[in-house]
Amino acid sequence: MKLRSDHWYAGRDRNAYIHRAWMRRGVPGDAFDGRAQIAIANTASDLSPCNRHLSEVASSVRDGVYEAGGVPLELPVMSLGETQVRPTAMLWRNLAAMEAEEMFRANPVDGVVLLGGCDKTIPALLMAAASVDLPAVVVPGGPMLNGTFRGEPLGCGTGVWRLSEEMRAGTLTPEQFARSESAMIRSRGHCNTMGTASTMALVAEALGMVTPGLAGTPAPDSRLLEAAHGTGRLAVDMVGADRRPSTFLTESSFRNAIVALAAIGGSTNAVVHLLAIAGRLGVELTLDDFDRIGSRVPALVDLQPAGRFLMEDLHRAGGFHAVLREVRDLLDPEALTVTGRPLADHLDDARIWDREVIRGRDEPLVAEGGIAVLRGNLAPDGAVIKPAAASEHLLRHRGRAVVFDSIEDFRDRIDDPDLEVDADSVLVLRGCGPKGYPGMPEVSNMPLPKKLLAEGVRDMVRICDGRMSGTAYGTVVLHVAPEAAAGGPLALVRTGDTVALDVPARRIELEVPEEELARRTPDEATVAGFAAPARGWERLYVDRVRQADTGADLDFLTGSSGSEVHRESH
Ligand code: FES
């Protein structure tokens, strides 16, 4: 079988000599003699603390690749530490995807193993793999072990929002709040709630891109290394079978991913990531598919932020396959995986061992667990809400808008005792979309005004063109498209306007007469809040990023470029 890497290594000419000679530093003599070259794309970094352990995982993958006759080649790729990177990791997702794609294509590799974990790392690697279309398989780095604080489970991320609100409300001291830090993060791995990292690891498996049964294995669990070893072997098999993403990532795979997203009660961030991945493959996936396919799927997993437990509990209770088995009839039986077999075929042995953590189909946590897509004059191209994380009494609500032009404006004014706001108000935050911020940060779950917290208010309707952390909760309408900075009507809302939310009817409306709206232009202060970067990646990003309803990818990165490189480097 002819390998892609043969174009570098095969033959007796000068260029093949150069490619081989520089690589001969202790590798077996026959390493370039028709053996599959497998890149291990490693997002380990001290500045991505959730991925710091991935070099140990890479070494297990490496063993598996060698054992199967391939040659493992570790390739450090751009990493994004969700909590560390400013102004938001999402600004860099497309750059990470572009960098990984170009490095996969530029180098003499036949297949790739993708090591990710923290929120943007798996989406970026999947986007890259879809575009370059080499045989590819993901090893998710796995969640942290459970945290506990004062006798109660403390979920990563979710606990921060809850405890910081308690401190603002005066029911927790700053010292107690600080003590919870190390109780929350007590091991290697990514966030242990059903946040974006856990969601994307599981959704990647539902897509068919992970060795079945691996996603959700806690990072410190030795079975992660065992499965990483097996994935190394599998990557070599995939090259032999020419099993590339375009051969098995189809509309059916995305349908399965949407069903899985609803059944696990996953993060709203998966919507933008799945749309972006589909865009790289030319798969027709739309925002409305999430509502059409997923909104009536029952949420079965009782995990924070919507529920009680954490990822270690999910693994103990039977894992992701036990969840998928409950909704097997909703999965497309034809959708294939990295193994070459359908996803549905891998579920026979799955069992639920703890029905508190994973509910049966007949006793779901939430009967309709998916993501609802809203439209109306406030979001002509759509907005999303996760009803399972919202308050039932706010799903149909009319209220007076209290508008903020940027997150800084919000922070300056939200706790002002003179701010005219009550529990029925609708908090509107703009300037947080892909272009406006730039990068679409996770700020949509705005903290509630201190004075209302003190009165016991714990949720309000919030509307924003940004995203929300997967670990957050509340009645939050997000991903409003088009965003304010792209000329969306969100820029025209004024404090005092009435906003009507009707989730069952899938509507979000600004109750201002059409003629009045047509007369309005965005205020100077609103426009001033939109960033206008002068140079570098931010400039390119703002000029070329698409809106949230299509995945917030750069317009010139949609579609696949394949793995061919037409010119030699010497
Ligand atoms: Fe890395 Fe949550 S901050 S996964």
Side-chain angles (χ1 to χ4, degrees), residues 297-357:
V297 175
L300 302 177
V301 173
D302 192 353
L303 250 63
Q304 297 183 27
R308 297 174 289 163
F309 296 98
L310 296 168
M311 285 295 286
E312 190 186 340
D313 302 309
L314 174 63
H315 194 249
R316 169 181 58 77
F320 183 46
H321 278 196
V323 182
L324 288 181
R325 188 168 164 174
E326 284 296 297
V327 292
R328 178 144 68 173
D329 57 309
L330 305 176
L331 296 174
D332 189 316
E334 307 290 315
L336 299 174
T337 67
V338 282
T339 63
R341 289 167 50 213
L343 177 69
D345 284 13
H346 291 281
L347 306 177
D348 290 342
D349 296 336
R351 293 285 179 280
I352 300 176
W353 300 111
D354 183 341
R355 288 183 178 270
E356 289 284 307
V357 182

Side-chain angles (χ1 to χ4, degrees), residues 404-472:
F404 303 90
D405 279 322
S406 65
I407 188 65
E408 291 77 15
D409 177 30
F410 174 85
R411 287 184 188 128
D412 285 349
R413 295 195 289 126
I414 191 63
D415 288 335
D416 181 344
D418 295 331
L419 183 72
E420 272 189 59
V421 64
D422 61 28
D424 292 331
S425 301
V426 173
L427 303 180
V428 176
L429 173 61
R430 59 194 168 205
C432 301
K435 287 178 189 290
Y437 194 68
M440 209 183 171
E442 295 184 335
V443 295
S444 301
N445 54 310
M446 298 156 246
L448 305 188
K450 214 173 185 169
K451 62 182 180 187
L452 297 184
L453 283 172
E455 287 170 20
V457 177
R458 288 294 178 268
D459 195 10
M460 291 170 70
V461 174
R462 288 157 275 178
I463 299 175
C464 183
D465 47 10
R467 294 176 304 117
M468 167 169 99
S469 165
T471 60

Side-chain angles (χ1 to χ4, degrees), residues 89-170:
M90 184 64 176
L91 173 64
W92 313 109
R93 182 201 67 177
N94 298 342
L95 180 60
M98 187 161 79
E99 183 247 18
E101 173 191 342
E102 299 297 351
M103 287 304 98
F104 297 161
R105 183 180 298 110
N107 276 294
V109 297
D110 301 301
V112 287
V113 179
L114 311 169
L115 307 190
C118 197
D119 292 19
K120 305 300 174 292
T121 51
I122 286 180
L125 290 170
L126 283 172
M127 289 161 72
S131 282
V132 80
D133 202 24
L134 286 168
V137 51
V138 177
V139 180
M144 298 169 203
L145 300 177
N146 288 358
T148 53
F149 183 57
R150 305 209 289 181
E152 283 183 17
L154 183 59
C156 210
T158 308
V160 181
W161 313 130
R162 181 169 55 81
L163 296 179
S164 64
E165 293 291 77
E166 281 187 31
M167 186 173 64
R168 291 177 72 234

Side-chain angles (χ1 to χ4, degrees), residues 50 82-83 117-119 190-191 197:
C50 308
E82 185 68 24
T83 50
C118 197
D119 292 19
H190 61 67
C191 289

Side-chain angles (χ1 to χ4, degrees), residues 54 77 168 196 198 208 214 269 290 296 303 309 395 468 515 537:
L54 288 181
V77 289
R168 291 177 72 234
T196 307
S198 303
L214 163 52
N269 283 323
F290 286 84
R296 284 179 186 79
L303 250 63
F309 296 98
L395 292 177
M468 167 169 99
E515 319 78 65
W537 169 255

